[in-house]
């Protein structure tokens, strides 16, 4: 009984400390995952609490559960519309890119550690894939607002590249322990991992999304049903030889992109579960490692990490993305830099231990050191690197809070909460606001008092308005409340003071500003001209230099440019 009580006490304290220590991330710019790992190491065998934990099998199970939960949440929050700009490059990096990265790192590891070629390649395979938990938490947790093309590519790649890393790791382990059969078996195994993972994931996601939409449940049960079906999809795909990780990501993707009132109950709960999974996973992995055993691998692991960051990852991006897709150099630079390693390589490093490979401790300690260095070097410099590469776009004005009312199953009304900060709205009667026809102010709070707004009610700075409307009216509402705020000024500095419609004839734009166009361009609109220059899939923030003027894409619908800003510097 005392051991059970001690388990509750220690686990509760460690999780609470991890949550509280997350403040260090915002104060000092430390990656959150580093903090979770460090707390696990401090509680471990060589740390302050001296907890001895060396059960690799248990850590393996915990790792799978946590990664499944993280990938499910990642799929829920990935919008299908991002696939138009990120799917193809992400897929090439998730397959060919992992292969190139693993091969380059493996060759370097063979030389650094004086290993056989197969042993060196196994190290490369273990650290060859980027980590969804690291990428999702870093990009969203640090508030880095990068353009859609780069963000979509990184998120889709990190969510889909695990099958290739697992395939390479298991294949090399089989070759090292002598269970390797024929090259045909490897091809079949590869097709099973991807083919069955995709099939089961899409089927499970389709079934679950329909079930959630049609079944009436208590609000708290929607998230549990989504979790149960996601885990079932993961298990089924794994049992029949497919990739459970790919399957659960696709399952979450289909659930999250099926509109309905169930999503407002699912997303907040799964956000908390994903954070709990990340904290628990990195605490366990921190407990599993013995820092004193890593000392002998410190310098060689540093060389491997530097080779991975500065040689293998950029080379993989260069070979798999540049020949086929039109990315700007600074976008390629940022994608190369955000090859974050996290929990996946450490979990994969447990495979050789369980498989009985010689020198299994080497693989685990090297993988742990590489992940630690990747999070420190790459994760700790994401914000300055995003600024250096100029791939950030200014955040738009947004409601302070928003939430669906749960009245309609689709196209539901939402309540948007705004604080009046625009000086132009001070002492402005509500009836003079150019609200969308379907929008309604349902409440007005001044101080701690709720007023009943009427047409002649005059607004004051600091008032809080509750507006009922639909998502399609959000942009117009945001414009009303933006005014000359700091955020609006930042947008103006980025997009320019003048905004043109994307359907404006290019020849008319040229005449208005004294520019020239070629004969082949005279029939184009301004939006079509810019879309061709950026490769056919424009995103907000795309910048085209034409006659010394920066034409910056401000609004996109599908592949059609709606608004273009003119920046004169």
């Amino acid at each position: 009984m005392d051991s059970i009580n001690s388990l509750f006490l220690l686990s509760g304290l460690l999780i609470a400390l991890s949550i509280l220590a997350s403040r260090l991330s915002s104060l000092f710019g430390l990656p959150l995952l580093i903090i979770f790992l460090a707390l696990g190491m401090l509680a471990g065998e060589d740390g302050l609490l001296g907890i001895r934990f060396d059960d690799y099998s248990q850590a393996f199970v915990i790792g799978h559960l946590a990664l499944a939960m993280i990938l499910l949440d990642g799929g829920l929050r990935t919008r299908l519309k991002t696939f138009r700009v990120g799917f193809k490059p992400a897929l090439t990096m998730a397959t060919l890119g992992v292969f190139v990265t693993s091969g380059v790192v493996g060759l370097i590891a063979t030389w650094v550690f004086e290993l056989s070629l197969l042993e060196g390649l196994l190290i490369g395979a273990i650290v060859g894939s980027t980590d969804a938990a690291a990428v999702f938490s870093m990009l969203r947790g640090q508030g880095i607002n990068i353009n859609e093309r780069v963000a979509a590519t990184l998120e889709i790649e990190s969510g889909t590249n695990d099958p290739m890393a697992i395939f390479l790791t298991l294949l090399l382990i089989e070759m090292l322990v002598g269970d390797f059969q024929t090259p045909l078996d490897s091809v079949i195994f590869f097709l099973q991992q991807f083919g069955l993972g995709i099939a089961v994931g899409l089927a499970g996601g389709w079934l679950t999304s329909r079930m959630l939409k049609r079944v009436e449940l208590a609000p708290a049960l929607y998230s549990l049903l989504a979790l149960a079906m996601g885990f079932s999809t993961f298990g089924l795909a794994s049992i029949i030889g497919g990739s459970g990780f790919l399957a659960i990501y696709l399952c979450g993707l289909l659930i999250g992109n099926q509109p309905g009132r169930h999503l407002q109950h699912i997303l907040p709960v799964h956000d908390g579960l994903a954070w709990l999974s990340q904290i628990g996973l990195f605490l366990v992995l921190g407990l599993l490692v013995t820092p004193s055993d890593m000392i002998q691998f410190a310098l060689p692991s540093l060389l491997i990490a530097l080779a991975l960051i500065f040689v293998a990852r950029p080379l993989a991006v260069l070979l798999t993305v540049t020949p086929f897709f039109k990315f700007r150099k600074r976008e390629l630079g940022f994608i190369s830099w955000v090859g974050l390693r996290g929990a996946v390589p450490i979990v994969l490093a447990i495979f050789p231990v369980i498989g009985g490979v010689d020198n299994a401790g080497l693989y685990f300690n090297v993988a742990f050191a590489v992940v630690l260095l990747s999070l420190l070097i790459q994760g700790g410099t994401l914000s300055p690197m995003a600024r250096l590469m100029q791939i950030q776009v200014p955040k738009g004005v947004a409601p302070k809070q928003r939430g669906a009312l749960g009245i309609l199953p689709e196209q539901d009304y939402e309540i948007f909460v705004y604080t009046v900060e625009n000086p132009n709205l001070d002492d402005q009667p509500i009836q003079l606001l150019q609200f969308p026809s379907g929008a309604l102010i349902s409440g007005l709070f001044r101080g701690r008092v709720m007023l009943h707004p009427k047409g002649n009610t005059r607004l004051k700075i600091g008032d809080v308005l509750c507006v009922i409307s639909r998502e399609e009216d959000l942009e117009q509402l945001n414009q009303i409340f933006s005014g000359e705020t700091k955020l609006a000024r930042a947008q103006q500095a980025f997009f320019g003071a003048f905004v043109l419609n994307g359907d404006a004839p290019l020849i008319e734009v040229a005449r208005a500003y004294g520019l020239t166009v070629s004969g082949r361009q005279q029939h184009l609109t301004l939006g079509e001209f810019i879309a061709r220059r950026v490769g056919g899939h424009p995103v907000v923030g795309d910048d085209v230099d034409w006659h010394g003027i920066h034409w910056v894409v401000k609004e996109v619908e599908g592949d059609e440019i709606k608004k273009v800003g003119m920046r004169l510097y």
Side-chain angles (χ1 to χ4, degrees):
M1 183 65 70
D2 288 340
S3 61
I4 295 177
N5 293 333
S6 298
L7 176 63
F8 274 98
L9 175 63
L10 289 174
S11 59
L13 284 175
L14 286 174
I15 293 174
L17 284 173
S18 299
I19 295 171
L20 294 174
S22 65
R23 285 291 300 154
L24 297 174
S25 176
S26 57
L27 291 175
F28 302 106
L30 291 173
L32 274 176
L33 304 185
I34 284 286
I35 296 173
F36 302 152
L37 275 177
L39 283 173
M41 294 170 69
L42 285 173
E45 186 176 354
D46 288 351
L48 299 176
L49 298 182
I51 300 173
R52 182 179 178 83
F53 179 76
D54 56 2
D55 191 334
Y56 285 90
S57 297
Q58 189 174 353
F60 184 77
V61 173
I62 294 172
H64 270 62
L65 287 172
L67 289 175
M69 183 65 249
I70 292 165
L71 284 169
L72 178 62
D73 182 68
L76 285 169
R77 297 179 186 280
T78 302
R79 302 276 67 85
L80 276 175
K81 65 179 182 180
T82 65
F83 275 57
R84 73 180 179 87
V85 293
F87 177 68
K88 292 180 180 179
L91 185 62
T92 59
M93 287 197 297
T95 51
L96 296 177
V98 173
F99 188 83
V100 172
T101 303
S102 301
V104 173
V105 174
L107 292 175
I108 295 173
T110 300
W111 171 70
V112 170
F113 290 101
E114 298 182 352
L115 301 172
S116 68
L117 180 60
L118 288 180
E119 291 172 327
L121 290 175
L122 179 56
I123 291 179
I126 289 172
V127 301
S129 67
T130 59
D131 185 72
V135 172
F136 292 154
S137 66
M138 292 293 180
L139 292 180
R140 294 168 181 167
Q142 293 191 17
I144 302 173
N145 195 40
I146 57 180
N147 76 50
E148 183 185 7
R149 182 185 297 107
V150 176
T153 300
L154 289 170
E155 291 198 9
I156 297 170
E157 179 213 3
S158 65
T160 56
N161 65 4
D162 293 335
M164 175 59 83
I166 293 172
F167 163 74
L168 292 174
T169 300
L170 293 178
L171 175 64
L172 289 165
I173 289 175
E174 288 184 355
M175 295 175 71
L176 284 169
V177 300
D179 292 337
F180 179 74
Q181 300 297 320
T182 65
L184 180 60
D185 293 331
S186 301
V187 174
I188 294 174
F189 177 62
F190 174 79
L191 294 176
Q192 282 182 336
Q193 283 282 298
F194 276 88
L196 295 177
I198 292 172
V200 174
L202 293 178
W206 180 85
L207 176 63
T208 306
S209 61
R210 296 301 186 278
M211 192 184 303
L212 288 166
K213 190 173 181 179
R214 296 183 181 183
V215 176
E216 291 289 337
L217 297 172
L221 296 180
Y222 283 106
S223 58
L224 295 181
L225 179 59
L227 178 63
M229 292 299 294
F231 278 176
S232 299
T233 302
F234 179 93
L236 177 60
S238 301
I239 287 172
I240 64 176
S243 170
F245 294 116
L246 180 57
I248 197 170
Y249 175 78
L250 293 175
C251 180
L253 183 69
L254 291 190
I255 295 172
N257 284 276
Q258 178 64 52
R261 68 184 69 175
H262 58 277
L263 285 181
Q264 66 177 308
H265 306 302
I266 293 174
L267 293 178
V269 175
H270 279 255
D271 189 36
L273 290 174
W275 274 112
L276 179 61
S277 299
Q278 290 188 60
I279 293 172
L281 174 58
F282 280 85
L283 284 175
V284 167
L285 295 177
L287 285 170
L288 191 62
V289 72
T290 305
S292 58
D293 293 342
M294 293 178 56
I295 295 176
Q296 59 179 314
F297 303 110
L299 183 58
S301 298
L302 176 61
L303 295 176
I304 297 298
L306 293 177
L308 174 64
I309 295 170
F310 293 103
V311 179
R313 171 70 176 183
L315 184 61
V317 172
L318 187 67
L319 293 178
T320 60
V321 176
T322 306
F324 310 108
F325 310 102
K326 195 167 184 178
F327 279 80
R328 292 175 290 180
K329 291 181 179 179
R330 58 178 182 263
E331 291 176 334
L332 292 173
F334 189 76
I335 291 173
S336 299
W337 190 252
V338 192
L340 289 167
R341 269 58 189 174
V344 171
I346 304 177
V347 173
L348 288 181
I350 300 175
F351 281 41
V353 179
I354 297 175
V357 177
D358 293 337
N359 299 319
L362 167 71
Y363 303 108
F364 182 82
N365 284 290
V366 171
F368 194 96
V370 169
V371 168
L372 202 61
L373 291 166
S374 173
L375 292 174
L376 279 172
I377 298 172
Q378 296 170 290
T381 57
L382 280 190
S383 292
M385 188 59 68
R387 290 192 295 269
L388 178 64
M389 297 295 179
Q390 300 178 354
I391 51 87
Q392 285 184 286
V393 294
K395 294 181 180 179
V397 177
K400 302 294 183 183
Q401 300 176 39
R402 62 179 294 186
L405 295 181
I407 305 298
L408 305 175
E410 294 183 11
Q411 298 294 317
D412 194 17
Y413 282 91
E414 296 185 59
I415 185 164
F416 304 107
V417 179
Y418 289 94
T419 299
V420 177
E421 299 174 343
N422 181 0
N424 296 328
L425 298 182
D426 191 26
D427 204 37
Q428 177 84 281
I430 289 177
Q431 61 191 3
L432 296 184
L433 298 180
Q434 296 181 348
F435 262 41
S437 58
L440 171 70
I441 298 178
S442 61
L444 188 155
F445 292 84
R446 185 167 295 165
R448 295 180 176 271
V449 179
M450 185 179 76
L451 306 179
H452 298 284
K454 299 178 181 178
N456 60 357
T457 302
R458 293 181 177 272
L459 300 176
K460 299 294 182 184
I461 298 294
D463 284 353
V464 176
L465 297 180
C466 301
V467 181
I468 295 178
S469 189
R470 285 188 163 130
E471 185 175 12
E472 55 261 33
D473 298 326
L474 189 55
E475 182 182 352
Q476 188 174 348
L477 291 171
N478 289 340
Q479 290 177 355
I480 292 173
F481 292 100
S482 64
E484 294 298 322
T485 62
K486 181 179 179 181
L487 191 59
R489 289 195 295 271
Q491 283 206 336
Q492 188 179 69
F494 183 84
F495 294 109
F498 303 100
V499 178
L500 303 178
N501 290 329
D503 59 2
L506 186 64
I507 191 169
E508 296 296 332
V509 174
R511 287 172 181 168
Y513 294 97
L515 310 177
T516 59
V517 295
S518 66
R520 292 181 300 175
Q521 297 171 339
Q522 291 184 0
H523 67 284
L524 299 177
T525 65
L526 177 61
E528 290 170 344
F529 168 72
I530 295 175
R532 291 190 179 187
R533 291 282 293 269
V534 300
H537 294 295
V539 298
V540 173
D542 274 341
D543 184 342
V544 172
D545 187 357
W546 182 45
H547 291 294
I549 300 174
H550 292 271
W551 305 83
V552 189
V553 178
K554 186 174 184 180
E555 183 182 331
V556 176
E557 185 177 308
D559 282 336
E560 183 180 356
I561 297 175
K562 293 293 187 179
K563 301 286 185 182
V564 179
M566 289 179 58
R567 196 175 68 223
L568 303 177
Y569 55 89

